[in-house]
Amino acid sequence: MTIPDTLAGLVDRLSLEQKVAQLGGIALPGLLAPGPTGVPALDTDRVAELCPHGVGHLSLAWFLGQDADSLRDALARVQRAVREVSPFGIGGLVHFEGINGFLHAAGEQFPTAWAQAATWDPGLAGQASSVTAAHMRDLGVQLLFAPVMDLSRDPRWGRVHETYGEDPELAARFSVAFVQGIQGVPGQDGDSGLLATGKHFLGFGASEGGLNMATTQLGRRTLVDEYAEPFRRAITEAGLSVVMNSYNDIDGVPAAANHWLLTTLLRDELGFTGMTVSDYDSVAMLRTRYRTAATPGEAAAQAVAAGLDVELPHAVNYPDLVAEVTAGRLDEKVIDRAVARVLEAKARTGLIPGFGTPPVRTGRPDRTKAATVRQAIAARGTVLLHNDGTLPLAQDGHRVFVTGPAADELRVHFGAYTSVAAAEMPAAIKAVRMGEVPGVDSAAFASTDIVSTPLPTLQPRFEEMARALHPGASTVWEALRKTGAEAEYVPLGSFTTEGARPLDARTVDAAVSGAEVIVAVVGERTGRVGGNTAGEGRSSVSPSLPGDQEELVELLAATGRPVITVVVSGRPLLLDRVVRASAAVLLAPLLGEEAGSAIASVLFGGTNPSGKLPATFPRHLGQIPAYHGHRHGSGYDHPAGETYAYVDLPDQAPLFAFGHGLSYTAFDVSYAGDAEVGDGTLRAPLRVTNTGTRDGETVVQLYGRDEYASVVRPVRRLLDFRRLALSAGESAELVLRAPLERLAYTLPDGRRGCEAGEVTLMAGLSSDDIRCTTTVTVPAVSGPEGLR
């Protein structure tokens, strides 16, 4: 069969059934069948049986192969079968998850996205994703379902750790770096043949009540100006190739069927030209969850007409598009448009003979580079929240007692989209079906119930699995012991109150009677199954330390010994009680296999902490959502004067503000000259000085505030930031800058731009630690079609 010269010609040569086949996928576990020994074996003959008209996408590939060699072989075999059944030998797009490392036992893992954001060093995110790209090239994967570009401003939501935090600029910078690490830098590296996916479009992290998949109650100006900013920047600065819809509805219209969202905003306003794919089962949810469609055909037609090109993980509703077109209810041109986008993605990744070039396999991923990047993220992403001078500890100066339920557990340091968590789901399903979980009827059990099934007896098994996947990793207790410090472990506290021995002051005091300093390691587990209080589908009515951990810290403090509390969490928690009881508080934001060694190094001064918070920590549950860029007249900061406040909250400020993070040295920031506006750019020359006695790193942050505008503006907006290292007593000069477009918003007439007027520039070490301010006058910036 002769291959047409153009993609348009290729679309024209496909039958309606073949076109629709390119818009769906096949779930690869469906190709597994019992082998001769009872072990599931790959049966590629089923491809032709299940997909006679071709295959668009290959889903759930992480279930194939226990190591890199077996996964590579399995994917190659499936691709051969797909090319045989598909017109013109077109291959299938293989996708993988990978927000913090290639999601497979063979993949290198990194600290979570939230931990990466705490470094305020986007280059590290790009280096990490470039390692993931190497895995993709090596194994025959074309499409990565990352990065997560959602803004997260409600810590009740269990997926905060997958995001880059609350701020549009911080999330945009990390998103751009991540996408460039996968696809290459536009205009410099050429086309890598690999595609990144921005998700979830849009407003997913603002679901009502912090509940996963709930409605999003945001106005369009907020969605366009703030929540869309990471997508806008990744499209224009990194050439983002794929976008995934979110699960929520916006003003009553599900994102999967929202024409304004997927076409008017994404394509017409943001300039996106790539392929859109559904988050798993979101098209079916139009029938089952949101009830906007009664039949598969209606659901499919709503989604594809709105601009959703592909249904995943497999074709359940989209096959009915054939009948929708045949019956005249849907124009075939809508199908052609979606197919053209899919084929363009396949051409870029070398899956269409005669179009594009497959990425060259340049050897296996660099494990040494991965370890270096992982260690740098862990070191720079650890955040010192509070310190009365107790830290750092002298190596031989104190007898340290280590306690807390997270002190000697490795599993607690991993997020939901890691190889550790990914291995737990099939293991849990198998255990239930084998009757190994008390209280669960294995005969009535459905695998989809595993997310909500309590699995207390499997936690030791999950810990063993984590240690097997990362045999060189240390728990905090193990890492402290390796330092040579005089340390002793005392098991106290629990992640759950169910079945736990009640704490009492006498028992706690006796357990730590020989201690001079106490290190309490507390936190929460994050994942999809088991005893997790955070993760996908794991929302909390109160994001607090679970079990008896708050009580434990207070009882430890009551002994009169200084308590250093290490908090392991991938989201802001309510820590007011813990902070008041602690001499120092250190946040370990899901640092993965490097957590133990990174924490020990900070505690004993080997690492001078320099992480900064990517999100606000509220003082009280009632302040949620709390974020630094709230609008004038709302939130906790009111530069224009007094406003209403909570009458039962003496201190309206958050417990820890966005950008906060202490050091073992001190820094000062001042203007080194006049701030200026020229050539469409704001420039703020700054002098930064390490005024302390230790070498250290810090992150200098520049914020801006419109003093007057015709629409209500945020009290501050992050414009630029820079991480730098200074020796004790050293000063350095730098210029923080931002194009005027960073101040842009939706004007009253619907255009995007900013009005002429005064902007206050604020530079400092956090959003609530501003060291110098100045005011500049900016010109109006706008265009007839708005700024992108």
Side-chain angles (χ1 to χ4, degrees):
M1 183 180 295
T2 304
I3 299 177
D5 295 331
T6 64
L7 289 177
L10 188 59
V11 173
D12 291 341
R13 292 278 297 276
L14 298 178
S15 68
L16 178 58
E17 289 78 8
Q18 290 171 335
K19 292 175 185 177
V20 170
Q22 290 297 315
L23 306 184
I26 181 173
L28 293 184
L31 303 181
L32 296 175
T37 62
V39 178
L42 187 62
D43 180 7
T44 57
D45 291 338
R46 297 203 66 201
V47 173
E49 174 189 340
L50 296 172
C51 305
H53 302 293
V55 179
H57 287 245
L58 301 172
S59 304
L60 298 168
W62 40 89
F63 285 100
L64 303 184
Q66 299 302 308
D67 53 36
D69 291 335
S70 59
L71 177 59
R72 188 187 306 106
D73 176 68
L75 290 177
R77 290 172 57 197
V78 172
Q79 281 287 19
R80 285 195 293 270
V82 168
R83 289 184 182 277
E84 289 175 3
V85 74
S86 297
F88 304 105
I90 300 172
L93 280 164
V94 180
H95 61 254
F96 256 76
E97 298 283 354
I99 183 59
N100 36 246
F102 194 77
L103 189 62
H104 191 269
E108 292 289 338
Q109 306 295 292
F110 299 94
T112 58
W114 204 63
Q116 294 175 39
T119 70
W120 288 58
D121 187 347
L124 288 174
Q127 293 178 47
S129 67
S130 70
V131 173
T132 301
H135 279 292
M136 294 169 65
R137 280 189 290 269
D138 177 44
L139 298 171
V141 176
Q142 297 81 33
L143 177 56
L144 190 73
F145 280 176
V148 175
M149 299 182 183
D150 299 304
L151 301 186
S152 56
R153 294 174 171 176
D154 190 334
R156 293 174 297 179
W157 190 48
R159 301 186 70 171
V160 170
H161 71 288
E162 298 176 42
T163 77
Y164 296 122
E166 72 179 43
D167 183 81
E169 179 66 21
L170 188 67
R173 294 272 282 272
F174 273 86
S175 297
V176 167
F178 186 101
V179 173
Q180 290 178 345
I182 298 296
Q183 298 185 177
V185 179
Q188 296 182 24
D189 300 337
D191 199 328
S192 70
L194 306 174
L195 307 179
T197 304
K199 61 183 189 180
H200 307 83
F201 201 74
L202 187 65
F204 190 36
S207 57
E208 188 175 64
L211 291 170
N212 203 43
M213 302 185 187
T215 188
T216 293
Q217 300 282 12
L218 295 175
R220 286 194 175 184
R221 182 172 271 106
T222 300
L223 285 166
V224 172
D225 295 346
E226 299 177 33
Y227 284 77
E229 182 68 8
F231 293 88
R232 184 193 317 275
R233 299 275 289 283
I235 290 166
T236 58
E237 298 176 24
L240 179 66
S241 301
V242 185
V243 166
M244 176 185 286
N245 72 281
S246 53
Y247 281 122
N248 55 326
D249 79 83
I250 297 173
D251 197 24
V253 182
N258 194 320
H259 185 273
W260 172 79
L261 197 68
L262 298 176
T263 298
T264 305
L265 175 59
L266 179 61
R267 297 190 182 278
D268 299 343
E269 185 168 337
L270 302 188
F272 180 70
T273 60
M275 176 179 65
T276 54
V277 299
S278 81
D279 205 343
Y280 277 17
D281 296 319
S282 60
V283 177
M285 289 179 186
L286 299 177
R287 296 183 289 112
T288 62
R289 183 180 182 89
Y290 297 109
R291 316 286 285 181
T292 64
T295 67
E298 286 182 9
Q302 286 180 11
V304 76
L308 191 59
D309 300 327
V310 175
E311 179 185 16
L312 295 175
H314 46 78
V316 174
N317 302 275
Y318 271 30
D320 283 41
L321 290 172
V322 174
E324 292 297 305
V325 172
T326 302
R329 292 186 292 269
L330 183 69
D331 192 332
E332 189 170 351
K333 291 181 181 178
V334 176
I335 305 297
D336 292 347
R337 183 177 58 204
V339 173
R341 293 168 184 155
V342 172
L343 294 182
E344 182 180 359
K346 291 192 172 188
R348 287 184 58 186
T349 54
L351 290 173
I352 305 177
F355 291 86
T357 303
V360 178
R361 292 181 179 176
T362 55
R364 303 295 170 85
D366 188 337
R367 305 284 180 177
T368 301
K369 175 185 177 182
T372 300
V373 174
R374 187 164 51 238
Q375 291 161 8
I377 294 172
R380 294 177 180 174
T382 307
V383 185
L384 183 59
L385 297 176
H386 165 68
N387 186 22
D388 68 358
T390 300
L391 288 179
L393 297 173
Q395 190 71 34
D396 55 358
H398 303 283
R399 190 173 182 207
V400 180
F401 274 41
V402 185
T403 190
D408 198 30
E409 180 175 308
L410 184 63
R411 170 61 185 87
V412 71
H413 298 288
F414 291 86
Y417 278 86
T418 60
S419 58
V420 168
E424 291 172 354
M425 184 171 289
I429 293 173
K430 181 179 178 181
V432 171
R433 288 177 173 168
M434 296 293 291
E436 299 173 4
V437 179
V440 180
D441 184 355
S442 58
F445 174 77
S447 59
T448 53
D449 296 334
I450 196 64
V451 175
S452 58
T453 302
L455 303 168
T457 59
L458 295 186
Q459 203 59 51
R461 187 178 304 182
F462 292 161
E463 176 70 6
E464 292 174 6
M465 292 166 59
R467 290 174 181 262
L469 281 168
H470 301 284
S474 301
T475 67
V476 175
W477 157 237
E478 291 166 346
L480 288 173
R481 191 169 53 187
K482 290 176 183 177
T483 66
E486 187 179 357
E488 182 175 332
Y489 172 59
V490 180
L492 290 172
S494 175
F495 291 114
T496 176
T497 55
E498 186 175 343
R501 174 188 290 181
L503 293 171
D504 65 82
R506 181 177 301 177
T507 300
V508 170
D509 188 69
V512 299
S513 60
E516 295 177 66
V517 175
I518 301 168
V519 174
V521 190
V522 298
E524 65 175 345
R525 297 186 180 118
T526 304
R528 297 292 303 278
V529 300
N532 300 297
T533 51
E536 184 169 1
R538 290 284 201 270
S539 296
S540 304
V541 68
S542 177
S544 307
L545 288 171
D548 58 11
Q549 295 180 91
E550 286 186 345
E551 181 185 4
L552 171 63
V553 174
E554 290 177 329
L555 288 173
L556 291 170
T559 67
R561 299 165 181 84
V563 178
I564 299 165
T565 304
V566 177
V567 179
V568 181
S569 174
R571 59 176 173 169
L573 296 178
L574 299 171
L575 297 176
D576 189 49
R577 289 173 57 188
V578 168
V579 172
R580 284 189 277 111
S582 303
V585 179
L586 185 68
L587 174 67
L590 301 187
L591 303 174
E593 62 191 280
E594 299 296 337
S597 57
I599 292 166
S601 183
V602 170
L603 294 179
F604 283 100
T607 297
N608 190 345
S610 60
K612 299 284 188 176
L613 288 179
T616 301
F617 276 54
R619 187 177 301 275
H620 190 279
L621 177 66
Q623 291 177 296
I624 295 173
Y627 54 98
H628 84 94
H630 62 80
R631 289 192 173 102
H632 282 280
S634 301
Y636 63 88
D637 193 11
H638 307 288
E642 292 298 321
T643 188
Y644 292 106
Y646 296 109
V647 297
D648 53 352
L649 190 64
D651 190 343
Q652 304 292 315
L655 186 63
F656 299 113
F658 173 79
H660 171 79
L662 303 178
S663 170
Y664 294 152
T665 189
F667 296 92
D668 193 23
V669 181
S670 60
Y671 282 113
D674 293 333
E676 60 180 8
V677 180
D679 299 324
T681 302
L682 289 160
R683 297 179 183 85
L686 299 170
R687 179 179 294 106
V688 185
T689 303
N690 182 340
T691 60
T693 58
R694 291 174 178 262
D695 299 347
E697 295 185 19
T698 192
V699 179
V700 186
Q701 304 160 36
L702 179 68
Y703 298 87
R705 176 172 64 238
D706 283 309
E707 290 300 341
Y708 295 94
S710 56
V711 297
V712 183
R713 304 296 298 130
V715 296
R716 75 180 63 79
R717 183 164 184 172
L718 180 66
L719 298 177
D720 195 14
F721 55 89
R722 185 86 54 83
R723 171 178 279 274
L724 74 164
L726 294 173
S727 302
E730 182 184 5
S731 293
E733 292 190 0
L734 70 157
V735 178
L736 293 184
R737 68 192 74 208
L740 288 178
E741 284 84 349
R742 294 291 181 272
L743 298 171
Y745 52 93
T746 303
L747 298 167
D749 62 6
R751 294 178 301 156
R752 181 173 169 79
C754 61
E755 298 161 311
E758 291 187 342
V759 171
T760 298
L761 297 180
M762 302 163 282
L765 302 175
S766 78
S767 64
D768 70 343
D769 186 7
I770 300 301
R771 301 300 178 90
C772 53
T773 63
T774 191
T775 301
V776 296
T777 301
V778 302
V781 178
S782 65
E785 298 178 357
L787 296 171
R788 289 179 180 171

